[in-house]
Amino acid sequence: MAEQISVSQISKYIGQEVTIKGWVYNRTDKGKLCFLLVRDGSGFIQCVAFKGDLQPETFDLLTHLPQESAVIVTGAVREDKRAPGIPGGYELGVKQIEIVQEAGLDYPMSLKDHGPDFALDHRHLWIRMQSQWAILRVRAVVMAATRAWLDSNGFFEMSAPILTPAAAEGTTTLFETEYFDEGKAYLAQTGQLYNEANIFAFGKVYCFGPTFRAEKSKTRRHLTEFWMLEPEIAFCDLGGLMEVEEGLITHIAQTVLRDCAAELKFLGRDVSKLENVTGAFPRMSYDDAAKYLIDLYEKETDSERKELLKFEWGMDFGAPHEAELTKLHDKPLFVYGYPSAVKAFYMEPWPGRPEVCKSVDLLAPEGYGEICGGSERISDHDALLARIHKEGLPEEAFKWYLELRKYGSVPHSGFGMGVERVVAWICGIEHIREAIPFPRTIKRVYP
RNA sequence: UCCUCGAUAGCUCAAUCGGCAGAGCGAGCGGCUGUUAACCGCUAGGUUCCAGGUUCGAGACCUGGUCGAGGAGCCA
């Protein structure tokens, strides 16, 4: 009885007879020779059958196997540079094949390109394709690396509620639902306020889960449901926060480089760009960034681009501005000290400059833009209350949040990291809808 | 909410000035002992997004609509 193995472990079994359980990804007949590219979830491997090695009826069955048929293949592993697959370079000489299910002939996914509408309508099948498989494997490693780094650096995962009573960040649009006799409840757009309660019990915490924004954003950087990591740290200032982000992002990038080499290679990612993601990241003040952007705007001669680059102090960066800033470095870039007016109400003002707050965004290189946004939080009760009033937020809804400032308040900081944006950047893909198994966009809740 | 672009075979697309609805892939059959999204031959496959209009004649032009994509704003 041959040992059942996974394709990802194939290199350890050269010369041995093994069994692989999976699905036919592609088939090529060549007369007395038949190639099956079989995927098993862990990778893709070429299985080669010679007519002379098998019963005639078995070989005939093989050459008529529809794409996506479920199979159990047994054969000897050998190294062959010609063999395609992920990792590739190994193949199985078929000795025996059992067909678990012969797939229907009308499988709609082609190995060639699909348009976004068709691909997304068939997302339940699209995820089987090599490109999507590779991206989602990277996503899983990004998420595991995120938890691993935080867990080994003294953080505790504290799940935040998804059904929440009110807007956390004011103006942003919320998904609304009926909640028994209590009136309306809303899908969480952040777990941060709950994290701030948790740090006073656990010191360093994070929540990691789906968040929801009913914004009508229709760009390659937006989903209505996306996964966000939100660490929050007691006794931590803005500088300390940036060190945490550096440590985490470095660990994520280096872990993916180590564990997803085959996936990155398949995606055609230039890994030298990711190898740069280590150590201290460059830091730039909002003031300096604004000067740079204004200069760029004034020098731009193309009228269309000039309109996009339009900038003055006090504005938040648009995607074109972020792209320009990230071109300055080959590492992620911190931009800190944004105008308070464009940031959330809970951010600590800069000492001596109340128009600026102790916030920091982390911009991914190569034009990918914001992947993390965070700040030092207001720790003083009266200052926070004043900000709530100024923003016109309902004081009653923030009663418990304000109370945190009465019993042992300390300087504290936190940030949010958009998982899909990180995955899109690491994989080098165009659109974050491919960085989540089943994307939710303004125009799509199916499948 | 605004701007731009698009919708033709299962998929990706072509169709010149308004004049017979086309190709590649996929599917079926046949051929080939090293294919890499194989290749070669044959076969099947169409409500040209919908509703009107102009015209001898509309996939193409006009009006209205539907759906999608990219971007802006907002944000992670």
Side-chain angles (χ1 to χ4, degrees), chain A residues 101-117:
Chain A
Q101 195 226 3
E102 188 172 310
L105 291 171
D106 53 352
Y107 185 66
M109 304 308 288
S110 152
L111 299 183
K112 300 208 172 190
D113 288 341
H114 292 287
D117 195 29

Side-chain angles (χ1 to χ4, degrees), chain A residues 376-391:
Chain A
E376 200 171 317
R377 322 302 192 188
I378 296 176
S379 54
D380 179 75
H381 177 279
D382 293 346
L384 183 61
L385 183 60
R387 284 289 290 165
I388 286 172
H389 284 156
K390 195 177 171 191
E391 297 284 324

Side-chain angles (χ1 to χ4, degrees), chain A residues 67-80:
Chain A
Q67 186 187 359
E68 292 304 313
S69 294
V71 291
I72 300 174
V73 192
T74 300
V77 179
R78 58 177 175 250
E79 240 177 324
D80 192 318

Side-chain angles (χ1 to χ4, degrees), chain A residues 227-280:
Chain A
W227 277 63
M228 186 156 66
L229 165 78
E230 294 180 276
E232 192 75 27
I233 312 154
F235 298 104
C236 178
D237 63 11
L238 195 64
L241 188 70
M242 288 193 256
E243 285 172 23
V244 169
E245 292 186 38
E246 279 165 353
L248 174 66
I249 297 295
T250 296
H251 179 75
I252 291 171
Q254 298 309 315
T255 302
V256 172
L257 278 172
R258 189 190 68 207
D259 294 350
C260 295
E263 287 85 347
L264 293 174
K265 188 180 168 202
F266 177 82
L267 292 166
R269 187 66 167 110
D270 179 356
V271 290
S272 69
K273 304 254 198 233
L274 297 176
E275 282 159 0
N276 288 330
V277 181
T278 177

